[in-house]
Amino acid sequence: MDTSQLPGAVDEYLATNREELYGFTERLVGFDTQNPPGGTTEVVEWLESMLDETDLETERIAVDPEKPNLLATLSGESDRTLCFNGHLDTVRFDESDWSHDPLGERVDDRIYGRGTTDMKGAVAAMLQVALAYDRTDTTPPAELQFAFVSDEETGGDAGLTTLMDTEAFDPDACVVSETTSRAGRYSVSVADRGNIWLTIEASGTAAHGSRPMIGTNAIDRLTAAVEQLRAEFGERELPIDDAMDDIIEESVAFYEPEAGAEATRRLYRYPTINLGIIEGGTAINTVPASACARIDIRLTAGVDTRDPLTSIRGCLAGLEGIEIIDVSWTRGSYEPLDSPVVAASASAADSVVDDPVFRRSATGGGDAKVLRHDGVPTVEFGFGTQTAHGTDEYTTTEALARNVTAYALLPVAYSRRVGEVN
């Protein structure tokens, strides 16, 4: 681990207070913030108490009193603001399925519990970075903001969206502390994919199941429509911005060990189409008169959603008994590889691991997409495990140590990169 770029006092504080970091993680996991309902009042109160005697300015921001957000700001040497964003809510868990306490249990170098890797371990690292700079009287080279938000796991409006509507939140760049490591491979996520969610309805003619020839099976019509969509639209190569080419190639290199190079390249160069829900029929011995499918289509960043929607409608036009009854979508986003926050995050990651750090696109999308579309240069970056949302979710003490060191290095690396650009 190369910490030579860290201010000496901050480096020493982090090195000698590892147990504090692990304790913060256990304490955060001990707050039950399953979403739904996703209440964050108690955990925000605890974070406020930890920051109460520091020089950080804190502001509680809430549209839903049960789901407050906390924004903490530490002045820096410049007026540029680097924000660390971490969500406090978690997905739900069934305690009976767990062999460890879902509200926190440390076993050797592992800390178990819901949210340890997604993403309370990273939040603990954010908190300790704030304390390390403050308690050592070290002024960071850029103003630091720490956005502890709610309502991320269900995509609700009480979290980041609420924060972005305030004047207090106006960063020059943001690091979303999602885990971006997998099975010993490390990355910074610089892009995400857009999606189109379709609801398709098929109509037919009911008949008795013993005489299907006198009816028209709506489920058959529906599945035929889905297959036509896959065969036509799913085989059309996407028109992707040239700026995405290098990001796609690094994404392919990152995912190749688990998915294969060609399959991964296809995932970014072509649409993916997933039939997620299908409904239809009332009885086994009845030809169904109606059926409905909900389909998740994903598109690489840089693709204009209007063209795919036109193609999708064209694929399904003229099919008897088929109608698109609902459409929703988001646009993918990406951060150019020469962006200071990308270069700084990759540099910080390089300082704490010996293996390559890939600058890749996520296969889905989260808060980073919202920030990029609002004009905030944003990456996702964090160390953890592949157990997010799973039973016996855990993080490791090594991952926590890497997070806190990399996050402490980021203001230095970011300010240096901004200076090179300017």
Side-chain angles (χ1 to χ4, degrees):
M1 201 176 277
D2 180 9
T3 60
S4 59
Q5 298 300 312
L6 263 181
V10 172
D11 188 17
E12 182 179 358
Y13 182 94
L14 297 178
T16 57
N17 287 279
R18 289 288 190 241
E19 287 299 323
E20 178 184 67
L21 172 63
Y22 310 148
F24 287 165
T25 303
E26 292 180 84
R27 189 73 176 90
L28 286 163
V29 174
F31 292 100
D32 188 346
T33 56
Q34 296 176 81
N35 197 0
T40 54
T41 302
E42 291 184 356
V43 66
V44 164
E45 288 176 350
W46 179 77
L47 286 166
E48 285 175 324
S49 72
M50 293 301 301
L51 297 170
D52 186 48
E53 296 183 2
T54 70
D55 288 333
L56 278 83
E57 294 183 10
T58 61
E59 181 177 359
R60 189 188 295 205
I61 300 167
V63 66
D64 180 345
E66 297 300 314
K67 296 181 178 182
N69 310 286
L70 183 66
L71 187 65
T73 305
L74 181 63
S75 297
E77 293 175 358
S78 76
D79 58 0
R80 298 191 69 86
T81 302
L82 175 64
C83 177
F84 292 91
N85 171 276
H87 64 83
L88 302 171
D89 61 324
T90 71
V91 296
R92 295 192 62 80
F93 61 82
D94 183 344
E95 187 172 0
S96 65
D97 293 336
W98 286 57
S99 57
H100 297 278
D101 188 345
L103 293 179
E105 180 181 346
R106 184 172 173 183
V107 180
D108 299 326
D109 66 345
R110 293 184 177 185
I111 300 175
Y112 290 90
R114 175 59 80 222
T116 46
T117 200
D118 183 23
M119 59 187 310
K120 291 181 176 179
V123 169
M126 291 164 54
L127 173 62
Q128 197 184 37
V129 167
L131 294 177
Y133 274 96
D134 178 80
R135 289 175 176 173
T136 61
D137 294 321
T138 302
T139 303
E143 179 177 271
L144 300 184
Q145 276 193 336
F146 301 88
F148 304 106
V149 303
S150 65
D151 222 16
E152 191 271 350
E153 293 291 5
T154 58
D157 292 331
L160 180 63
T161 302
T162 294
L163 203 62
M164 291 172 66
D165 286 339
T166 67
E167 293 184 0
F169 184 79
D170 187 26
D172 294 287
C174 190
V175 177
V176 178
S177 300
E178 294 282 3
T179 292
T180 53
S181 57
R182 296 173 64 88
R185 302 190 307 281
Y186 308 106
S187 72
V188 174
S189 176
V190 302
D192 49 55
R193 296 200 296 162
N195 67 278
I196 298 173
W197 285 357
L198 293 177
T199 301
I200 300 176
E201 191 171 75
S203 58
T205 304
H208 195 279
S210 65
R211 300 182 297 276
M213 73 290 295
I214 67 172
T216 303
N217 191 306
I219 293 177
D220 288 346
R221 279 183 167 176
L222 186 65
T223 54
V226 173
E227 288 310 307
Q228 181 156 320
L229 188 65
R230 284 174 171 153
E232 292 190 15
F233 177 69
E235 295 300 318
R236 296 181 186 177
E237 188 168 356
L238 296 168
I240 298 171
D241 292 352
D242 291 344
M244 281 295 298
D245 287 346
D246 288 341
I247 296 173
I248 289 174
E249 290 310 304
E250 292 202 31
S251 303
V252 170
F254 180 78
Y255 284 110
E256 181 178 3
E258 61 186 281
E262 289 311 309
T264 305
R265 187 170 286 107
R266 182 177 180 83
L267 179 142
Y268 291 107
R269 294 292 180 184
Y270 291 82
T272 58
I273 301 174
N274 179 62
L275 174 57
I277 298 174
I278 188 165
E279 301 168 335
T282 57
I284 192 171
N285 60 345
T286 301
V287 175
S290 63
C292 179
R294 292 176 175 84
I295 301 168
D296 180 359
I297 297 171
R298 301 290 173 130
L299 308 166
T300 297
V303 175
D304 188 332
T305 308
R306 292 172 295 181
D307 294 334
L309 272 173
T310 300
S311 297
I312 289 167
R313 294 185 188 280
C315 285
L316 300 178
L319 295 181
E320 189 173 357
I322 295 296
E323 182 181 5
I324 298 174
I325 63 171
D326 190 46
V327 181
S328 63
W329 63 86
T330 66
R331 293 179 295 113
S333 67
Y334 67 91
E335 190 62 27
L337 294 184
D338 59 359
S339 167
V341 73
V342 172
S345 298
S347 173
D350 276 330
S351 297
V352 298
V353 297
D354 295 326
D355 297 300
V357 175
F358 299 96
R359 302 163 301 174
R360 65 171 174 90
S361 170
T363 56
D367 279 349
K369 179 184 296 185
V370 178
L371 288 159
R372 290 191 198 109
H373 284 319
D374 198 51
V376 181
T378 301
V379 300
E380 293 178 334
F381 169 44
F383 298 96
T385 69
Q386 289 177 256
T387 58
H389 295 199
T391 301
D392 286 331
E393 179 183 352
Y394 72 91
T395 191
T396 66
T397 54
E398 180 181 51
L400 292 170
R402 285 172 169 169
N403 273 332
V404 78
T405 304
Y407 294 166
L409 280 164
L410 260 166
V412 179
Y414 174 69
S415 296
R416 185 170 64 248
R417 298 291 181 175
V418 168
E420 290 173 356
V421 170
N422 295 335

